[in-house]
Amino acid sequence: MVLALLAVIPLLVLVYLLFYGGFSGPVDWLMRTQRHLRRDRKVVALTFDDGPDPVRTPALLDVLAEANAPATFFLLGDAVEMHPDVVTRMAAEGHELGNHTYCHRYLPLARSRSVERELARTDAAITQATGQVPMVARPPWGGRSPWTVRAFARLAKRLVLWDVNSYDWKGKPADEVVARVLERTRPGSIILMHEAREGGEVTIEAVRRLIPALRARGYQLVTVSGALSPSRA
Ligand SMILES: [Zn+2]
């Protein structure tokens, strides 16, 4: 029994590493997921996962509006149902809305029909709040397997990951988050952030400083589907 358990643990670790979205892996090469935008222009996309939050998301929207900067939000269906007015505002202010599943499950080992149901339920909530159907989607933790990717494709979603992880959830000060992002950003980068969580104020402060710093380096801020890599179209 103990031996069987010992054999299973490395296997689980391997499966986790293979499917975790933080690394480019065989699933991306085979299934053509989007980890970045086109690299031939100095464009960059800010993306925010796990919202909406009734307090922090409006504060973030204020910062984006003040800077006249578009962003892409990967939203959870259950949170959209609770706070549809925040999502209506996002759409009205020109941000792109993406699907981040209904309740943030780890998907690689889920049945593809249940993945489709989660995506469809989230689409329905976003459409009810905004009249729009998301074109892009991001699995929780970036976890994807070939069958997850196929479920996304059946619902006509572009599966979007990231190439710059801000690690804004780690509790570091805003300065460090900004420095980390600036150091790693290059043309076409998709930056992963989270404002709709405890400590999200740090993310909002980081965004306030990041937007002028990116623009000073010649970057144009875009939504994800505004500049997807053409070779992956
Ligand atoms: Zn998430």
Side-chain angles (χ1 to χ4, degrees), residues 44-224:
V44 64
L46 296 174
T47 67
F48 299 95
D49 288 10
D50 304 348
D53 175 90
V55 176
R56 297 183 186 96
T57 306
L60 173 64
L61 288 172
D62 289 344
V63 169
L64 293 171
E66 217 169 283
N68 196 21
T72 303
F73 289 85
F74 290 96
L75 303 167
L76 292 171
D78 62 352
V80 175
E81 285 176 1
M82 280 187 281
H83 313 292
D85 49 320
V86 181
V87 180
T88 307
R89 179 181 166 192
M90 279 174 187
E93 294 184 357
H95 301 296
E96 176 160 27
L97 310 181
N99 189 322
H100 194 44
T101 76
Y102 191 78
C103 55
H104 215 269
R105 274 194 307 153
Y106 189 63
L107 300 180
L109 305 176
R111 290 206 324 276
S112 69
R113 291 291 163 205
S114 94
V115 174
E116 285 179 40
R117 269 199 304 276
E118 286 231 14
L119 289 172
R121 205 170 160 194
T122 304
D123 268 1
I126 292 173
T127 303
Q128 193 171 355
T130 66
Q132 299 179 10
V133 182
M135 293 163 57
V136 293
R138 175 179 281 161
W141 299 285
R144 73 266 174 265
S145 64
W147 45 99
T148 318
V149 180
R150 273 198 294 271
F152 278 52
R154 272 199 290 272
L155 284 164
K157 302 287 176 247
R158 303 295 295 275
L159 195 154
V160 174
L161 298 170
W162 60 86
D163 66 338
V164 177
N165 191 336
S166 68
Y167 286 118
D168 57 348
W169 46 269
K170 277 195 169 177
K172 298 262 173 65
D175 275 348
E176 283 184 41
V177 175
V178 171
R180 182 188 163 83
V181 170
L182 290 176
E183 192 186 311
R184 286 166 172 74
T185 296
R186 55 194 186 109
S189 280
I190 297 176
I191 299 166
L192 169 67
M193 306 187 97
H194 311 75
E195 93 292 358
R197 57 172 230 301
E198 216 159 303
E201 294 75 14
V202 170
T203 301
I204 297 167
E205 185 50 36
V207 169
R208 194 194 306 277
R209 298 177 202 185
L210 199 51
I211 293 170
L214 287 168
R215 285 177 171 157
R217 285 164 174 73
Y219 288 104
Q220 184 197 352
L221 290 157
V222 295
T223 59
V224 166

